[in-house]
Amino acid sequence: MRSNRRDFLKSGAGGAVGLLGGLGRAPGARAASAPGRKDTVKIAWSAGLDMLDPSITGNGPDLTVAGQIYETLLVMDPNTRELKPALATSWRAVNDTTWQFKLRSGVKFHNGEPFTAESVKFSVERVLDPKKNSSHRSQLVMISRVEVVDPLTVNLVTKDPAPILPYKMQPIGGSGRVYLLTPTSTRSP
């Protein structure tokens, strides 16, 4: 049987739902608890995890898990395919080559650091860094620079008009995802 992209996305979505601790299950999936424990969920996948660095990996299972750990600027409504706010509260085209994103205030990373425009700049530049060999880079090379306007405003400046750039700032479909990281999250202790 030949699988297609829709089947792959469905299986990834089922795995993501399973990761939510049993709030839902993929068809035919069974959650099992360890004997005597009610706080354990076991999940079986047909492929393993390679890495959980969302800036680099393009592996489907990795990205399914990454989607449960990391956030993006925008999300797409799966029914209407309309972009919705996530960590960006609003976005607009300033001109033909500049997209501006206003960021949600009061957000903190797991380590207590605040989410700011510097976090977005770091995350986008990390994907674009050729030394990182990111599987998402090819979809974002239209970005020429990231400008921090103020702590809660960031501009993504493109080489040419890029009307679909906001769709690259959400996690559904293809490569080009930008999951947001704190600049200190990738440093060795």
Side-chain angles (χ1 to χ4, degrees):
M1 179 174 142
R2 186 173 169 194
S3 20
N4 60 32
R5 186 170 143 180
R6 178 172 287 145
D7 292 335
F8 175 77
L9 291 173
K10 282 180 184 175
S11 70
V17 170
L19 284 174
L20 292 174
L23 294 177
R25 290 184 280 183
R30 295 189 328 149
S33 295
R37 295 196 58 187
K38 294 182 181 179
D39 61 350
T40 303
V41 175
K42 294 181 181 182
I43 298 170
W45 274 343
S46 61
L49 298 176
D50 291 333
M51 69 175 70
L52 291 179
D53 185 335
S55 302
I56 298 172
T57 188
N59 181 11
D62 293 353
L63 292 171
T64 298
V65 173
Q68 302 304 311
I69 299 170
Y70 304 100
E71 293 286 338
T72 54
L73 289 175
L74 306 173
V75 294
M76 184 189 304
D77 181 301
N79 297 318
T80 66
R81 302 192 56 82
E82 180 182 352
L83 291 176
K84 303 281 187 181
L87 288 178
T89 57
S90 65
W91 60 99
R92 68 183 182 100
V94 175
N95 58 46
D96 285 349
T97 59
T98 305
W99 282 94
Q100 185 172 85
F101 295 85
K102 297 285 187 175
L103 307 177
R104 191 169 307 285
S105 65
V107 175
K108 292 188 184 269
F109 286 98
H110 69 284
N111 65 358
E113 280 186 57
F115 168 66
T116 67
E118 288 292 342
S119 310
V120 177
K121 179 178 172 64
F122 171 78
S123 300
V124 172
E125 288 178 345
R126 191 161 190 274
V127 169
L128 291 172
D129 182 353
K131 291 182 239 165
K132 298 289 182 207
N133 199 26
S134 171
S135 61
H136 309 290
R137 183 176 184 274
S138 66
Q139 296 295 311
L140 299 173
V141 293
M142 81 272 285
I143 299 172
S144 62
R145 69 183 181 280
V146 183
E147 299 173 342
V148 172
V149 177
D150 63 47
L152 294 176
T153 309
V154 64
N155 288 344
L156 300 182
V157 181
T158 59
K159 298 169 188 164
D160 296 304
I164 65 165
L165 183 63
Y167 283 90
K168 302 294 184 182
M169 300 296 118
Q170 57 82 34
I172 296 177
S175 61
R177 297 170 178 92
V178 177
Y179 286 105
L180 300 162
L181 306 169
T182 174
T184 61
S185 66
T186 59
R187 294 187 192 138
S188 298

